[in-house]
Amino acid sequence: MIQTKNMQKLYTTEEVETTALNNVTTEIKAGEFVAIMGPSGCGKSTLLNILGLLDNPSGGEYHFVGHEVSNYSERQRATLRKENIGFVFQSFNLIDELTVYENVELPLLYLGVPATDRKDRVDAALEHMQIPHRKSHFPQQLSGGQQQRVAVARAVIGNPKLILADEPTGNLDSANGSEVMQLLTGLNEAGTTIVMVTHDQAQAGYAHRTINLFDGRIVTENMHTEVQAPAQD
């Protein structure tokens, strides 16, 4: 699904040039659950933004679902992104003025899904996330764990091939964090590819493999022989 070869990202000002990614070469197969780890400033979020087609690399190659996309325009990236990728962020990124139902429905509006189909799919997603009783609430009326469930529902509503999660449990307590990891694990077991940035070794344990970054380079890639089992209620 994902292949990068000698991928670079440079940020240049009048005074300094910063290398955020330095010759990153890796592959992520369809159906994998991959964690990306490393110290702050090592390039994790930059890599996730490029993988999510939110930005282009400065050099090298990036192949996504059979397309070489490193030089795609914003319009080309947006089309490919909305058809294939869902995002889950640490800060939830819900729209305060929209209800839970409307937040989850939003990607389907962008995809042009008919109203009747939208209702069926949103109701099913909220039921799956165990929050159908919150559909008329606004984000600020929800707990952090409930807001992240809404964010996950919004990420998966378009049936994306890939979910990119940036510190998805960073603003949650351990109980709610474990619930979100169980949701992501369940989605992966159903066939969705997941790439997750995390600082938490325990959360990385849910993944099949960890990519470790340092100073914009991949320094190690570790397979997990024993994947973290979801906690039982």
Side-chain angles (χ1 to χ4, degrees):
M1 173 177 282
I2 287 171
Q3 290 180 310
T4 69
K5 183 176 180 181
N6 298 326
M7 195 167 70
Q8 299 182 12
K9 184 62 180 180
L10 307 176
Y11 294 103
T12 304
T13 68
E14 292 183 358
E15 300 178 354
V16 66
E17 182 177 87
T18 301
T19 301
L21 295 177
N22 191 354
N23 292 321
V24 171
T25 298
T26 192
E27 181 176 0
I28 298 171
K29 293 181 170 60
E32 274 199 283
F33 188 161
V34 175
I36 299 174
M37 299 193 73
S40 296
C42 72
K44 299 186 303 297
S45 293
T46 299
L47 178 57
L48 206 69
N49 284 341
I50 292 175
L51 296 183
L53 303 172
L54 298 171
D55 198 3
N56 276 339
S58 304
E61 299 177 14
Y62 175 29
H63 298 262
F64 178 64
V65 293
H67 302 268
E68 213 295 7
V69 300
S70 57
N71 292 311
Y72 267 27
S73 67
E74 169 53 31
R75 182 185 294 274
Q76 289 173 308
R77 294 201 310 271
T79 298
L80 199 58
R81 186 170 61 235
K82 73 181 181 181
E83 293 174 350
N84 293 281
I85 304 175
F87 295 88
V88 180
F89 301 97
Q90 176 179 346
S91 56
F92 316 135
N93 283 16
L94 301 176
I95 299 174
D96 290 339
E97 294 77 20
L98 299 182
T99 64
V100 165
Y101 183 98
E102 291 166 340
N103 267 282
V104 176
E105 180 188 34
L106 197 57
L108 299 182
L109 291 171
Y110 293 145
L111 290 170
V113 176
T116 302
D117 290 346
R118 291 202 307 269
K119 182 180 186 307
D120 290 344
R121 289 169 67 169
V122 173
D123 285 344
L126 294 178
E127 187 70 38
H128 183 68
M129 297 298 158
Q130 301 177 3
I131 48 173
H133 57 297
R134 299 293 189 185
K135 68 179 182 180
S136 297
H137 288 68
F138 291 91
Q140 297 306 313
Q141 296 174 301
L142 307 179
S143 69
Q146 290 169 337
Q147 288 188 60
Q148 196 60 298
R149 283 176 177 270
V150 176
V152 173
R154 181 185 59 188
V156 303
I157 193 69
N159 298 320
K161 296 181 178 69
L162 171 68
I163 289 179
L164 298 178
D166 193 355
E167 299 282 1
T169 65
N171 284 336
L172 304 177
D173 60 30
S174 58
N176 281 308
S178 293
E179 287 185 2
V180 169
M181 292 310 303
Q182 290 177 51
L183 290 172
L184 293 177
T185 299
L187 292 168
N188 176 247
E189 290 173 347
T192 305
T193 306
I194 296 178
V195 179
M196 174 183 69
V197 163
T198 182
H199 282 98
D200 190 323
Q201 190 68 53
Q203 308 296 4
Y206 286 85
H208 304 147
R209 176 163 57 107
T210 298
I211 296 173
N212 293 288
L213 291 181
F214 187 78
D215 286 347
R217 290 180 177 271
I218 294 178
V219 290
T220 58
E221 294 195 42
N222 304 320
M223 296 296 297
H224 298 175
T225 55
E226 293 185 9
V227 176
Q228 173 75 40
Q232 299 297 316
D233 293 333

